[in-house]
Amino acid sequence: MLKKVAIITNGGDAPGLNTVIRAIVKTAETHGIECYGYIEGYKGLLNNNYIKLDSKTNASGLLHRGGTIIGTSNSTNVFNLKCEENGQIVYKDMSQKCIDNIKEAGFDCIFTLGGDGTQKSGRDFSLRGVNVIGVPKTIDNDVAHTDVTFGYNTAVSVATDALDRLHSTAESHHRIMVLEVMGRYAGWIALESAIAGGADAALIPEIPFDIEKVAEKVEERKKAGKNFSIIVVSEGAKPKDGDIVIKKKLDDGKGLDNIRLGGIGEQVAEDLEKLTGLVSRCTVLGYVQRGGTPTAFDRVLSTKYGVKAMELAMQEKFNVLVTYKHGEMSYVSLEDVVGNNKEIGAPSGNTAKSNIRKIEMDDPLIKAARALGINLGE
Ligand code: F6P
């Protein structure tokens, strides 16, 4: 019988985190289970910093609230923690301290709300005897084995709204308007918002692009009397003869994706201006994509994820990720989510072994984009 469970929200914040917390807490309370939340993700687990959550006080009024009430961290890999000792940088495996903290608090299960990196650490904890249930959070929609992560729908809605607004300036000034969106190494946000927002081109990491082909699309539109174009560029997109554009190399620790992406949108705008003669401007959408209130879809999806996570815990089906596949709530082992990235503490993110879900070329979104004449830089 479960008595006490704890929630960890880790990685970049995403709309719907508080909704999942609310759903887990409410479901737990119905069954007389106590719920706690670690403060600031895995950092809170390491520092043994947690609070009680209950639907009468702190876990109330959360449905529409962005961010996470228990905080998050995307720079703490407890299996390879960056520390300073006698003026030297050293890397330490602090996972045993975390496991001792969980045991001491008496938590029967931890819920890890996060993306691929968070789930990788969750799986590593599960191999050391911790009961873990993962919930796939990320605006990037790139977690393996689930069709939709929570937070993604809100990000696409925000990007689509931005495209609608950029249309006004594009049309009035006869300009090329480039919108750079997030998504890391997967183009889901870019492609779906391009379709929803009626963009003329969508450049995604999965298809290294030929800028000449994008320019041809703009020229075609000019010939047809449309002296403006809208281009969506995913932050991880790269030219076919070039590389991804890195804004900053970080040094947060081993096993973390120490790269801040950004800048490809500006590059595309400059190149298109040279090639077409049309004035081009770039807008970087940035963190508005993952802030603020979740859409109704994300509220419902996050609620379903939270309820299913608590149900799985009560059935003692541990060391799994809750999934949403073909419209059904289900689960898959964390081992499968990690894919070939088996080594404990190994880096997550864009490595050859990682299992992030990119857009396949036979995805209906690719087919729809091509059918509509949205140029994919090919
Ligand atoms: O993974 C979510 C995400 O918003 C990515 O789309 C983006 O590249 C990254 O996080 C930015 O991370 P940070 O909050 O560290 O700047």
Side-chain angles (χ1 to χ4, degrees):
M1 272 289 286
L2 289 189
K3 288 199 179 71
K4 286 166 91 175
V5 296
I7 301 172
I8 295 173
T9 57
N10 197 65
D13 66 325
L17 275 167
N18 286 326
T19 317
V20 178
I21 293 173
R22 172 182 182 268
I24 292 176
V25 171
K26 277 183 176 271
T27 313
E29 285 175 351
T30 309
H31 294 89
I33 299 164
E34 285 181 24
C35 215
Y36 293 79
Y38 278 105
I39 301 298
E40 287 182 35
Y42 287 132
K43 199 193 281 178
L45 179 56
L46 179 62
N47 298 334
N48 206 21
N49 186 9
Y50 59 87
I51 55 166
K52 173 103 173 53
L53 295 168
D54 84 82
S55 66
K56 290 196 184 61
T57 57
N58 50 9
S60 156
L62 295 184
L63 260 180
H64 61 281
R65 211 166 134 184
T68 158
I69 55 159
I70 49 178
T72 185
S73 159
N74 62 359
S75 56
T76 311
N77 180 4
V78 293
F79 290 87
N80 233 327
L81 194 74
K82 186 179 172 191
C83 316
E84 208 185 308
E85 261 181 14
N86 308 322
Q88 300 274 343
I89 297 292
V90 289
Y91 295 89
K92 287 183 164 181
D93 180 358
M94 300 299 288
S95 56
Q96 193 53 50
K97 168 95 172 64
C98 298
I99 296 165
D100 293 345
N101 288 343
I102 295 169
K103 280 194 190 143
E104 191 192 300
F107 295 136
D108 302 307
C109 166
I110 57 166
F111 296 100
T112 53
L113 280 47
D116 66 301
T118 303
Q119 303 312 339
K120 170 78 179 61
S121 295
R123 173 276 195 174
D124 293 353
F125 276 122
S126 77
L127 288 183
R128 301 244 168 114
V130 177
N131 292 329
V132 180
I133 294 182
V135 187
K137 165 240 67 171
T138 170
I139 62 162
D140 304 337
N141 201 33
D142 61 353
V143 177
H145 294 286
T146 192
D147 290 344
V148 196
T149 56
F150 71 86
Y152 169 64
N153 181 267
T154 308
V156 171
S157 300
V158 172
T160 304
D161 181 58
L163 287 171
D164 289 347
R165 289 168 194 279
L166 291 173
H167 252 100
S168 319
T169 305
E171 213 168 348
S172 310
H173 287 261
H174 299 163
R175 282 180 182 169
I176 296 172
M177 297 301 275
V178 174
L179 179 68
E180 181 182 304
V181 297
M182 285 183 166
R184 294 204 79 71
Y185 311 106
W188 296 103
I189 300 175
L191 189 54
E192 210 160 292
S193 66
I195 293 171
D200 305 299
L203 307 180
I204 57 175
E206 290 84 347
I207 306 179
F209 63 86
D210 180 347
I211 196 72
E212 306 267 348
K213 298 287 176 196
V214 187
E216 276 170 27
K217 171 76 188 183
V218 174
E219 293 292 353
E220 248 173 54
R221 284 175 52 79
K222 265 177 28 186
K223 277 192 200 119
K226 302 235 169 140
N227 282 319
F228 69 95
S229 284
I230 307 278
I231 319 288
V232 186
V233 182
S234 180
E235 62 179 359
K238 60 176 181 186
K240 68 179 174 36
D241 48 4
D243 217 338
I244 49 170
V245 181
I246 294 171
K247 189 163 193 189
K248 196 171 179 191
K249 280 203 170 145
L250 308 166
D251 186 20
D252 287 338
K254 286 186 187 166
L256 297 163
D257 190 352
N258 280 305
I259 284 174
R260 189 173 302 152
L261 294 168
I264 186 67
E266 199 60 61
Q267 194 174 297
V268 165
E270 274 173 29
D271 289 349
L272 287 177
E273 185 164 304
K274 277 186 210 135
L275 289 166
T276 66
L278 280 185
V279 171
S280 305
R281 294 278 195 270
C282 171
T283 301
V284 179
L285 198 51
Y287 296 89
V288 288
Q289 282 159 103
R290 65 185 218 202
T293 188
T295 57
F297 178 91
D298 263 335
R299 294 182 199 195
V300 176
L301 181 67
S302 304
T303 301
K304 286 188 200 168
Y305 269 132
V307 170
K308 183 74 182 177
M310 197 61 225
E311 275 173 15
L312 288 169
M314 289 187 292
Q315 292 160 9
E316 302 194 357
K317 287 211 167 59
F318 299 122
N319 310 333
V320 295
L321 176 80
V322 189
T323 60
Y324 178 74
K325 266 260 172 276
H326 312 302
E328 299 280 329
M329 300 311 297
S330 188
Y331 60 92
V332 64
S333 77
L334 285 172
E335 209 55 51
D336 286 349
V337 175
V338 163
N340 291 326
N341 205 10
K342 299 282 182 210
E343 198 190 320
I344 291 186
S348 56
N350 196 33
T351 69
K353 285 186 175 174
S354 75
N355 204 20
I356 57 174
R357 194 174 75 100
K358 299 190 179 197
I359 308 175
E360 300 288 338
M361 287 308 108
D362 61 353
D363 191 283
L365 288 175
I366 296 276
K367 287 187 187 164
R370 286 186 177 138
L372 291 172
I374 298 176
N375 187 279
L376 300 175
E378 36 175 19

